[in-house]
Amino acid sequence: MSVAEVGIQASSMRVVEAVEEYLVARRSAKPSPHTVAAYRRDLLGVLGCVAEVERCGRADVRLADLSGGVLRQAFAEFAAERAASSVVRAWSTWNGFFGFLVAEGIVEGNPMPGVQRPRLKPAEPKPLMGEDTPERLLEALAAGCRRARDPWPERDLAVLALALLTGLRSAEMLGLRVEALSGRAGERRIRVVGKGGATRSLPIEPPLEALVEAYLRTREVRFGVRVRGSDALLVDNRGRPLRRGGLQYLVRQCYKHAGVHDRVARGTLVHALRHTFATRLAEDGASVTEIMRLLGHTSITSSQSYIDVTAAAQREAARSNRTYGVLRRLADAEREGAAG
């Protein structure tokens, strides 16, 4: 078979079949099930729009149909009812898909550079608002502020303190096992499995260690079962592993009963605790490399945003503005007049 004939045969391949081949090829990179599901959703979602443009069934679309013009129309349709971040993610997925097809000699070129994608504004961290909010939150929880039919203040305090003092993502917290805590008393660390299966080890200082141990003791008393190392670290009021919805509800209720719900940026919940952890690190002088390692970032750009938002250098520069000197002199004069 000639090269031309191979090209014709490849171009007649159905896109749904090529998608599955691509996903199989990605397995060697060990993506998480969530990542694979996102790839498939983005590929088939845009493919559905291609089918509408071509006025055929999604299963009938061939690789030969994926011209730059068709993809531009399909992405325009796809973007109509979706957030810019979703469109950018889908664009990247399709770009990777075509990169695979080109590398395999299935298609001659990648049309994605001709498909425009939205420009995203850099995401800004959204920590809890108010300098004393973390302290106020933890003190209220320790005092049993959360009113519930089956209160468990030790668990609530352990969950919120763990998030505030480690900066863990929701999924990372939910994936913790009791055995993730290791080391000698006073030198404990917690082993975390992050995005892409990457692991990191975070230090746990004695006060947090004591809170977690107190929570585990009350858990054994509450359920009458000895806690094993393989058990989930965080559980709900029935002793079952805490899930995403349960964690979000717990955190939301803690904010509400502690009286700090108005200090939480909309849509953040657990992530506000992670942002608070990182922002305080930056305010206290941690380097971008240290923040990157503690948060489990793969890109230094993500960690740099915390340095930028705290902007200690910018604050110092603003403080040195000569116009502030006028205000200081006026304030001094007012104090002297009041004293006289």
Side-chain angles (χ1 to χ4, degrees):
M1 186 179 294
S2 68
V3 174
E5 289 173 328
V6 171
I8 292 172
Q9 184 177 12
S11 65
S12 65
M13 183 180 188
R14 294 193 306 162
V15 177
V16 289
E17 295 172 350
V19 165
E20 293 307 316
E21 285 197 19
Y22 172 62
L23 295 178
V24 169
R26 290 286 304 170
R27 289 179 187 172
S28 60
K30 303 294 288 183
S32 69
H34 175 78
T35 299
V36 174
Y39 285 155
R40 179 176 281 108
R41 185 167 56 249
D42 288 339
L43 291 167
L44 297 183
V46 174
L47 181 58
C49 296
V50 170
E52 291 182 14
V53 173
E54 293 291 282
R55 297 183 180 180
C56 65
R58 189 168 67 180
D60 298 323
V61 179
R62 308 283 171 171
L63 289 176
D65 299 325
L66 299 180
S67 66
V70 167
L71 284 168
R72 282 192 290 273
Q73 293 182 61
F75 264 88
E77 183 69 25
F78 182 82
E81 298 179 356
R82 291 174 174 83
S85 58
S86 297
V87 179
V88 170
R89 188 192 63 219
W91 189 98
S92 297
T93 301
W94 273 81
N95 191 50
F97 174 52
F98 270 107
F100 163 75
L101 295 176
V102 172
E104 291 294 308
I106 298 174
V107 299
E108 293 184 355
N110 180 0
M112 292 307 297
V115 179
Q116 289 191 334
R117 52 180 168 168
R119 289 187 178 181
L120 296 179
K121 295 181 179 179
E124 291 187 359
K126 296 179 180 178
L128 295 173
M129 294 173 276
E131 180 61 28
D132 66 339
T133 303
E135 290 75 19
R136 178 175 167 180
L137 173 61
L138 295 180
E139 288 169 356
L141 291 174
C145 71
R146 188 182 172 204
R147 302 176 186 86
R149 286 185 297 177
D150 187 16
W152 194 357
E154 295 86 359
R155 190 274 314 275
D156 297 348
L157 182 58
V159 170
L160 273 292
L162 184 65
L164 278 168
L165 291 168
T166 63
L168 295 181
R169 302 178 178 93
S170 296
E172 292 171 343
M173 292 183 68
L174 298 176
L176 290 175
R177 301 291 170 186
V178 175
E179 62 194 7
L181 292 166
S182 62
R184 297 179 298 181
E187 297 180 1
R188 294 281 177 86
R189 300 185 75 85
I190 186 166
R191 183 175 179 274
V192 182
V193 180
K195 287 186 175 181
T199 61
R200 64 189 189 278
S201 181
L202 304 176
I204 298 294
E205 293 299 303
L208 179 56
E209 177 185 333
L211 280 182
V212 174
E213 290 179 346
Y215 148 63
L216 292 176
R217 287 195 297 270
T218 64
R219 175 171 156 182
E220 291 187 337
V221 172
R222 174 178 282 254
F223 301 113
V225 178
R226 186 173 180 80
V227 176
R228 299 171 300 178
S230 59
D231 292 338
L233 179 62
L234 305 180
V235 299
D236 61 21
N237 281 30
R238 296 183 180 180
R240 298 175 302 192
L242 199 60
R243 296 185 177 181
R244 184 171 181 270
L247 177 61
Q248 290 181 326
Y249 178 79
L250 185 157
V251 172
R252 184 184 294 110
Q253 290 298 303
C254 287
Y255 288 151
K256 176 182 177 182
H257 291 288
V260 300
H261 60 282
D262 59 340
R263 301 185 180 190
V264 184
R266 184 176 180 180
T268 55
L269 289 180
V270 183
H271 229 58
L273 303 172
R274 175 174 167 84
H275 287 177
T276 301
F277 166 76
T279 300
R280 285 196 160 189
L281 283 179
E283 289 173 343
D284 292 337
S287 70
V288 67
T289 303
E290 291 169 334
I291 295 173
M292 180 179 176
R293 290 174 177 169
L294 289 170
L295 292 181
H297 284 156
T298 56
S299 167
I300 200 168
T301 303
S302 300
S303 303
Q304 183 64 45
S305 65
Y306 294 100
I307 302 292
D308 293 340
V309 80
T310 56
Q314 292 178 18
R315 180 173 292 278
E316 184 62 31
R319 188 181 293 119
S320 65
N321 189 319
R322 285 173 292 173
T323 306
Y324 271 113
V326 176
L327 298 184
R328 293 189 187 100
R329 289 195 296 274
L330 291 173
D332 291 341
E334 184 176 353
R335 281 194 295 269
E336 290 175 0

